[in-house]
Amino acid sequence: TTFGSANFTVSATIAGGNPISYQWQRSYDGGSSWLNVANATNTAIALAGVTQSDNGTRYRALASAVGASTQPSQSATLTITG
């Protein structure tokens, strides 16, 4: 059964004023390991076709800029109800 869609957004400020790039990641094991989400390099990620098997999946964004270390956002957990 497909439950619809979900959206996550992130914003970051990195000292130095350089442009920030993003890479969204997901974790299926509670945050122990992370995999890049293909083509998810904006401040928002839209998930289509969410199913019950996606319940509990964590998402985070990596923010990076020239001259600064890459920083992960806090993770958000996708929760399916219904």
Side-chain angles (χ1 to χ4, degrees):
T1 302
T2 300
F3 289 91
S5 62
N7 298 295
F8 294 105
T9 60
V10 67
S11 65
T13 303
I14 296 179
N18 291 323
I20 300 171
S21 61
Y22 297 93
Q23 174 61 60
W24 283 91
Q25 296 184 315
R26 78 176 111 223
S27 174
Y28 297 106
D29 60 8
S32 294
S33 61
W34 294 91
L35 301 168
N36 288 346
V37 178
N39 302 315
T41 57
N42 295 311
T43 58
I45 184 171
L47 310 171
V50 174
T51 66
Q52 186 64 41
S53 65
D54 296 312
N55 189 51
T57 303
R58 291 188 185 187
Y59 290 85
R60 72 178 184 184
L62 299 179
S64 60
V66 173
S69 61
T70 299
Q71 297 294 318
S73 67
Q74 291 184 338
S75 66
T77 303
L78 179 62
T79 303
I80 308 295
T81 58

